[in-house]
Amino acid sequence: MNELKKSIITVIGKDSVGIIAKVCTYLSSNNINILDINQTITGGYFNMMMIVESEEVIKTFPDMAEELKQIGDELGVVIQAQREEIFQMMHRI
């Protein structure tokens, strides 16, 4: 088992039924806890950002990121997972 520190998951795309349910079901089935979640729908477009973590990771981070990307492809949205430290480095000024 690998330790997963905090990660940022973003979901962006055209709004449709079941986006949150599908993402949250995946996270729950992989023992990944949602620490914070923010979502908006503007002009028919869905935008969600989640901060997640888990001490009991079943899969590696790259596997999780790829599987979330595949779920996004199935739903017609873009799902990206980034480790918190990388996300913070990218957004420093």
Side-chain angles (χ1 to χ4, degrees):
M1 266 194 272
N2 295 308
E3 182 180 334
L4 175 69
K5 297 182 181 186
K6 287 182 186 174
S7 299
I8 310 297
I9 297 172
T10 57
V11 182
I12 300 171
K14 191 165 170 38
D15 187 35
S16 65
V17 174
I19 296 171
I20 296 172
K22 186 89 170 182
V23 173
C24 290
T25 297
Y26 173 84
L27 296 174
S28 175
S29 67
N30 285 282
N31 296 321
I32 299 169
N33 187 40
I34 299 168
L35 300 175
D36 197 2
I37 182 171
N38 185 356
Q39 66 93 35
T40 58
I41 300 169
T42 305
Y45 290 93
F46 180 85
N47 181 17
M48 178 170 68
M49 184 171 115
M50 308 169 96
I51 300 172
V52 302
E53 76 172 353
S54 177
E55 294 178 5
E56 297 180 27
V57 177
I58 297 170
K59 300 176 191 229
T60 66
F61 181 85
D63 287 343
M64 178 196 74
E66 180 57 33
E67 289 174 359
L68 284 168
K69 181 185 175 309
Q70 290 173 2
I71 290 169
D73 291 346
E74 293 169 15
L75 294 170
V77 297
V78 175
I79 301 178
Q80 293 183 316
Q82 298 176 337
R83 291 190 170 113
E84 181 186 41
E85 59 269 17
I86 293 172
F87 188 85
Q88 288 177 347
M89 291 174 122
M90 287 175 38
H91 293 90
R92 280 191 190 160
I93 296 177

